[in-house]
Amino acid sequence: MELATWLTFFAASWAISISPGPGAIASMSAGLNHGFRYGYVTVFGLVLGIWSQLLIVGVGLGALISTSATAFTVVKWLGVAYLVWLGIAQWRAPARPMVALSDTGAVVSRRTLILKAWMINVVNPKGTVFLLAVVPQFINLSQPLFAQYLIIGATLAFTDMVVMAGYTALASRVLGALKEPSHIRAMNRIFGTLFVLAGSLLALFKRAS
């Protein structure tokens, strides 16, 4: 990949990562409930989800999802159901003050956090269609594709890890000052509503004709 091409994609990656979406909501939710150090584990799941989406696009399954009504519908509604389920779970979460939990005191395991975050990105056909629209613009078919996909995957991972660190820190430090159970309950319901809203927006998303 030429340097000029990569720099353009690098700039686009920041815009992709910063734009609010389910990943940002998940990062802030993790920061609120687990603190920065433990909550940041969520970001690794989000990155794995991005890589999974890129793999789907790279092997051609993304084209199937974007053109097959059945495949698109199945994946889309799986994503909708998962986001709504996360929203309900967040809404019903216990109203406990946010503290940085230790490894032994954490209610949720790191594996669970990573798996939840991975699911958020991987069952999202909107992300697949988006990558299908963006990635080909930066691919040089006359050059080895594997190396180019590695560069694209590493770039997306870097920008997402930096941006989501900001979202997680914002929740853990600013929202972490909330101590009253009523405040925590309100914040849980706000994030729960945001997850449901993200699911509703995904339900409205349609394939390009």
Side-chain angles (χ1 to χ4, degrees):
M1 181 178 291
E2 296 181 357
L3 179 60
T5 301
W6 177 79
L7 287 174
T8 304
F9 181 75
F10 186 59
S13 296
W14 285 103
I16 294 169
S17 296
I18 292 173
S19 59
I25 299 171
S27 295
M28 289 188 288
S29 175
L32 172 67
N33 289 288
H34 305 290
F36 178 78
R37 291 183 62 185
Y38 202 88
Y40 188 68
V41 173
T42 294
V43 180
F44 295 101
L46 294 174
V47 169
L48 288 176
I50 292 174
W51 285 347
S52 298
Q53 287 276 15
L54 191 60
L55 178 62
I56 289 171
V57 171
V59 301
L61 295 179
L64 173 64
I65 292 175
S66 66
T67 57
S68 168
T70 300
F72 180 87
T73 300
V74 169
V75 175
K76 183 178 81 169
W77 287 107
L78 279 175
V80 170
Y82 184 64
L83 288 172
V84 171
W85 176 79
L86 286 178
I88 294 173
Q90 184 76 42
W91 182 279
R92 300 175 62 184
R96 66 179 186 277
M98 192 285 293
V99 293
L101 300 175
S102 65
D103 291 350
T104 57
V107 176
V108 181
S109 68
R110 287 187 172 90
R111 180 179 299 178
T112 299
L113 289 175
I114 291 174
L115 181 60
K116 283 185 175 181
W118 175 78
M119 285 285 290
I120 285 175
N121 273 346
V122 82
V123 290
N124 185 357
K126 185 176 181 179
T128 305
V129 173
F130 182 80
L131 286 176
L132 276 171
V134 172
V135 170
Q137 301 179 42
F138 300 94
I139 293 293
N140 185 346
L141 297 178
S142 65
Q143 298 294 329
L145 296 180
F146 182 72
Q148 295 180 75
Y149 276 111
L150 282 180
I151 292 171
I152 288 173
T155 303
L156 288 172
F158 172 78
T159 55
D160 214 52
M161 291 179 73
V162 173
V163 171
M164 296 308 160
Y167 282 127
T168 307
L170 173 67
S172 64
R173 295 182 181 181
V174 177
L175 302 181
L178 303 176
K179 301 298 182 183
E180 295 297 325
S182 60
H183 296 163
I184 303 301
R185 186 180 300 110
M187 293 311 305
N188 281 335
R189 291 179 176 179
I190 288 174
F191 281 113
T193 301
L194 289 174
F195 273 122
V196 174
L197 179 60
S200 301
L201 292 175
L202 179 57
L204 297 175
F205 181 71
K206 298 180 179 180
R207 294 179 304 141
S209 57

